Amino acid sequence: MSEEDRKPRRIALNPRQWAAVALVVVALVFILQNLTYVRVEFFLIHTAAPLWLVLLVTLAAGYAIGWFSKRRD
């Protein structure tokens, strides 16, 4: 094995990967700051859930609504 084979390789991230890393960090900070439980009422269902989970489900529902309602030309 030559000396060049033993050198650790540097991993270069492109801007899209940096943005993904930044979003993961922001998401983790958001989750850690919103661990309290909130009361959730939906029709006749009453439950308690962490605030971050309620917001995540709401975001996913909004994404799904937008995806299903977009125009397809």
Side-chain angles (χ1 to χ4, degrees), residues 27-38 48-55:
L28 287 174
V29 169
F30 177 77
I31 289 170
L32 293 174
Q33 288 183 341
N34 291 289
L35 294 176
T36 59
Y37 277 72
V38 294
L51 178 58
W52 67 267
L53 182 61
V54 173
L55 293 173

